[in-house]
Coordinates of all heavy atoms in Angstrom, one line a residue:
E435 N 122.4 219.6 91.8 CA 123.7 219.2 92.4 C 124.9 220.2 92.0 O 125.6 220.6 92.9 CB 124.1 217.8 91.9 CG 125.4 217.2 92.4 CD 125.5 217.2 93.9 OE1 124.5 217.1 94.7 OE2 126.7 217.2 94.3
E436 N 124.8 220.5 90.8 CA 125.8 221.6 90.3 C 125.7 222.9 91.0 O 126.7 223.5 91.4 CB 125.8 221.7 88.8 CG 127.0 222.4 88.3 CD 126.8 223.0 86.8 OE1 126.0 222.3 86.1 OE2 127.4 224.0 86.4
R437 N 124.5 223.3 91.3 CA 124.2 224.5 92.0 C 124.7 224.4 93.5 O 125.4 225.4 94.0 CB 122.7 224.8 92.0 CG 122.3 226.1 92.7 CD 120.9 226.5 92.4 NE 120.4 227.5 93.4 CZ 119.7 227.2 94.5 NH1 119.5 225.9 94.9 NH2 119.3 228.1 95.3
R438 N 124.5 223.3 94.1 CA 125.1 223.0 95.4 C 126.6 223.2 95.4 O 127.2 223.9 96.2 CB 124.7 221.6 95.9 CG 124.6 221.6 97.5 CD 124.3 220.1 97.9 NE 125.2 219.1 97.2 CZ 126.4 218.8 97.8 NH1 126.8 219.4 98.8 NH2 127.1 217.9 97.2
E439 N 127.2 222.5 94.4 CA 128.7 222.6 94.3 C 129.2 224.0 94.1 O 130.2 224.5 94.6 CB 129.1 221.7 93.2 CG 128.8 220.2 93.3 CD 129.9 219.5 94.1 OE1 131.0 220.0 94.2 OE2 129.5 218.5 94.8
S440 N 128.4 224.7 93.2 CA 128.8 226.0 92.8 C 128.8 227.0 94.1 O 129.7 227.7 94.2 CB 127.9 226.6 91.8 OG 127.8 225.8 90.7
K441 N 127.7 226.8 94.9 CA 127.6 227.6 96.0 C 128.7 227.3 97.0 O 129.4 228.2 97.5 CB 126.3 227.3 96.8 CG 125.1 228.1 96.2 CD 124.0 228.0 97.3 CE 122.7 228.2 96.8 NZ 121.7 227.8 97.8
K442 N 129.1 226.0 97.1 CA 130.2 225.6 98.0 C 131.5 226.3 97.6 O 132.3 226.7 98.5 CB 130.3 224.0 98.0 CG 130.6 223.5 99.3 CD 130.5 222.0 99.3 CE 131.7 221.3 99.1 NZ 131.5 219.8 98.9
S443 N 131.7 226.3 96.3 CA 133.0 226.9 95.8 C 132.8 228.4 95.5 O 133.6 229.0 94.9 CB 133.4 226.2 94.5 OG 132.4 226.3 93.6
K444 N 131.7 229.0 96.1 CA 131.5 230.4 96.0 C 131.3 230.9 94.6 O 131.5 232.1 94.3 CB 132.6 231.2 96.7 CG 132.8 230.8 98.2 CD 133.0 232.0 99.0 CE 133.2 231.8 100.6 NZ 132.3 230.8 101.1
N445 N 130.9 230.1 93.7 CA 130.6 230.6 92.3 C 129.1 230.9 92.3 O 128.3 230.2 91.7 CB 130.9 229.5 91.3 CG 130.7 229.9 89.8 OD1 130.1 231.0 89.6 ND2 131.1 229.0 88.9
F446 N 128.8 232.0 92.9 CA 127.4 232.2 93.0 C 126.7 232.7 91.8 O 125.5 232.6 91.6 CB 127.2 233.4 94.2 CG 127.6 233.1 95.5 CD1 128.8 233.4 96.1 CD2 126.9 232.0 96.2 CE1 129.2 233.1 97.3 CE2 127.3 231.6 97.4 CZ 128.5 232.1 98.0
A447 N 127.5 233.2 90.8 CA 126.9 233.5 89.6 C 126.4 232.4 88.9 O 125.2 232.3 88.4 CB 128.1 234.2 88.6
R448 N 127.1 231.2 88.9 CA 126.6 230.0 88.3 C 125.4 229.5 89.0 O 124.4 229.0 88.4 CB 127.7 228.9 88.2 CG 127.3 227.6 87.7 CD 126.8 227.6 86.2 NE 126.4 226.3 85.8 CZ 125.5 226.1 84.9 NH1 124.8 227.2 84.4 NH2 125.1 224.8 84.5
A449 N 125.4 229.6 90.4 CA 124.3 229.1 91.2 C 123.0 229.9 90.8 O 122.0 229.3 90.6 CB 124.7 229.2 92.7
D450 N 123.2 231.2 90.7 CA 122.0 232.0 90.4 C 121.5 231.6 88.9 O 120.3 231.7 88.7 CB 122.4 233.5 90.4 CG 122.5 233.9 91.9 OD1 122.2 233.2 92.8 OD2 123.2 235.0 92.1
E451 N 122.5 231.5 88.0 CA 122.2 231.1 86.7 C 121.3 229.9 86.6 O 120.3 229.8 85.9 CB 123.4 231.0 85.8 CG 123.1 230.7 84.4 CD 124.5 230.3 83.7 OE1 125.2 231.3 83.4 OE2 124.7 229.2 83.4
I452 N 121.7 228.9 87.4 CA 121.0 227.6 87.4 C 119.6 227.8 87.9 O 118.6 227.4 87.3 CB 121.7 226.6 88.2 CG1 123.1 226.2 87.5 CG2 120.8 225.4 88.4 CD1 123.9 225.2 88.3
R453 N 119.4 228.6 89.0 CA 118.1 228.9 89.5 C 117.3 229.6 88.4 O 116.1 229.2 88.1 CB 118.1 229.8 90.7 CG 116.8 230.1 91.3 CD 116.8 231.2 92.3 NE 117.1 230.6 93.7 CZ 116.3 230.0 94.5 NH1 115.0 229.7 94.0 NH2 116.7 229.6 95.6
A454 N 117.9 230.6 87.8 CA 117.1 231.4 86.8 C 116.8 230.5 85.6 O 115.6 230.6 85.0 CB 118.0 232.6 86.3
T455 N 117.6 229.6 85.1 CA 117.4 228.8 84.0 C 116.2 227.9 84.2 O 115.3 227.8 83.5 CB 118.7 227.8 83.7 OG1 119.7 228.7 83.3 CG2 118.4 226.9 82.6
L456 N 116.2 227.2 85.4 CA 115.1 226.3 85.8 C 113.8 227.2 86.0 O 112.7 226.7 85.5 CB 115.4 225.6 87.0 CG 116.6 224.5 86.8 CD1 117.0 224.0 88.1 CD2 116.1 223.4 85.9
E457 N 113.9 228.3 86.5 CA 112.7 229.1 86.7 C 112.0 229.4 85.4 O 110.9 229.4 85.2 CB 113.0 230.3 87.5 CG 111.7 231.0 88.0 CD 112.0 232.1 89.1 OE1 112.9 232.0 89.9 OE2 111.2 233.0 89.1
A458 N 112.9 229.8 84.5 CA 112.3 230.2 83.1 C 111.7 229.0 82.5 O 110.8 229.1 81.6 CB 113.4 230.8 82.3
E459 N 112.1 227.8 82.9 CA 111.5 226.6 82.3 C 110.2 226.2 83.2 O 109.6 225.2 82.9 CB 112.4 225.4 82.3 CG 113.6 225.6 81.3 CD 114.7 224.6 81.5 OE1 114.5 223.6 82.2 OE2 115.8 224.9 81.1
G460 N 109.9 227.0 84.2 CA 108.8 226.7 85.0 C 109.0 225.8 86.2 O 108.2 225.2 86.7
I461 N 110.3 225.7 86.6 CA 110.7 224.8 87.8 C 111.2 225.7 88.8 O 112.2 226.5 88.7 CB 111.8 223.8 87.2 CG1 111.2 222.9 86.3 CG2 112.3 223.1 88.5 CD1 112.2 222.1 85.5
I462 N 110.6 225.6 90.0 CA 110.9 226.4 91.1 C 111.8 225.6 92.1 O 111.5 224.5 92.4 CB 109.6 226.8 91.9 CG1 108.6 227.5 91.0 CG2 109.9 227.8 93.1 CD1 109.0 228.9 90.5
L463 N 112.9 226.2 92.5 CA 113.7 225.6 93.6 C 113.4 226.1 95.0 O 113.2 227.3 95.1 CB 115.2 225.8 93.3 CG 115.7 225.3 92.0 CD1 117.2 225.4 91.9 CD2 115.4 223.9 91.7
E464 N 113.4 225.1 95.9 CA 113.1 225.6 97.2 C 114.2 225.0 98.1 O 114.4 223.8 98.2 CB 111.8 225.0 97.8 CG 110.6 225.7 97.3 CD 109.3 225.0 97.7 OE1 109.4 223.8 98.1 OE2 108.2 225.6 97.6
D465 N 115.0 225.9 98.8 CA 116.1 225.4 99.6 C 115.6 225.2 101.0 O 115.0 226.1 101.6 CB 117.2 226.5 99.6 CG 117.9 226.6 98.3 OD1 118.1 225.5 97.7 OD2 118.1 227.8 97.9
T466 N 115.6 223.9 101.5 CA 115.2 223.6 102.9 C 116.4 223.1 103.6 O 117.5 222.9 103.0 CB 114.2 222.5 102.8 OG1 114.8 221.3 102.4 CG2 113.2 222.8 101.7
K467 N 116.2 222.9 104.9 CA 117.3 222.5 105.7 C 117.8 221.0 105.3 O 118.9 220.7 105.6 CB 117.1 222.5 107.2 CG 116.0 221.6 107.7 CD 115.8 221.8 109.2 CE 114.6 221.0 109.9 NZ 114.0 220.0 109.2
D468 N 116.9 220.3 104.6 CA 117.4 219.0 104.1 C 117.8 219.0 102.7 O 117.9 217.9 102.0 CB 116.1 218.0 104.2 CG 115.5 217.9 105.5 OD1 116.3 218.0 106.6 OD2 114.2 218.0 105.7
G469 N 118.1 220.2 102.2 CA 118.6 220.2 100.8 C 117.5 220.9 99.9 O 116.6 221.6 100.4
T470 N 117.8 220.9 98.6 CA 116.9 221.6 97.7 C 115.9 220.7 97.1 O 116.2 219.6 96.6 CB 117.9 222.2 96.5 OG1 118.8 223.0 97.2 CG2 117.1 223.1 95.6
R471 N 114.7 221.3 97.1 CA 113.5 220.6 96.5 C 113.2 221.3 95.2 O 113.4 222.5 95.2 CB 112.3 220.5 97.4 CG 112.5 219.6 98.6 CD 111.1 219.1 99.0 NE 111.2 218.7 100.4 CZ 110.8 219.5 101.4 NH1 110.1 220.6 101.1 NH2 110.9 219.2 102.6
W472 N 112.5 220.7 94.3 CA 112.0 221.5 93.2 C 110.6 221.0 92.9 O 110.1 220.0 93.3 CB 112.9 221.1 91.9 CG 112.9 219.8 91.4 CD1 113.7 218.8 91.9 CD2 112.0 219.2 90.4 NE1 113.5 217.6 91.0 CE2 112.5 217.9 90.2 CE3 111.1 219.7 89.6 CZ2 111.9 217.0 89.3 CZ3 110.4 218.8 88.7 CH2 110.8 217.6 88.6
K473 N 109.8 222.0 92.2 CA 108.5 221.8 91.9 C 108.1 222.5 90.6 O 108.8 223.5 90.3 CB 107.5 222.1 93.0 CG 107.5 223.6 93.4 CD 106.5 223.9 94.4 CE 106.3 225.4 94.5 NZ 105.8 225.9 95.8

Side-chain angles (χ1 to χ4, degrees):
E435 178 55 24
E436 192 191 334
R437 179 168 166 267
R438 201 181 59 78
E439 297 278 335
S440 304
K441 280 199 199 164
K442 218 166 95 186
S443 58
K444 303 220 177 321
N445 181 356
F446 296 110
R448 176 64 182 146
D450 290 344
E451 179 188 286
I452 290 172
R453 176 189 281 282
T455 297
L456 290 172
E457 191 167 331
E459 293 167 19
I461 294 162
I462 307 288
L463 299 187
E464 282 174 346
D465 292 318
T466 72
K467 63 176 176 13
D468 306 320
T470 303
R471 289 206 206 105
W472 63 274
K473 63 173 191 203

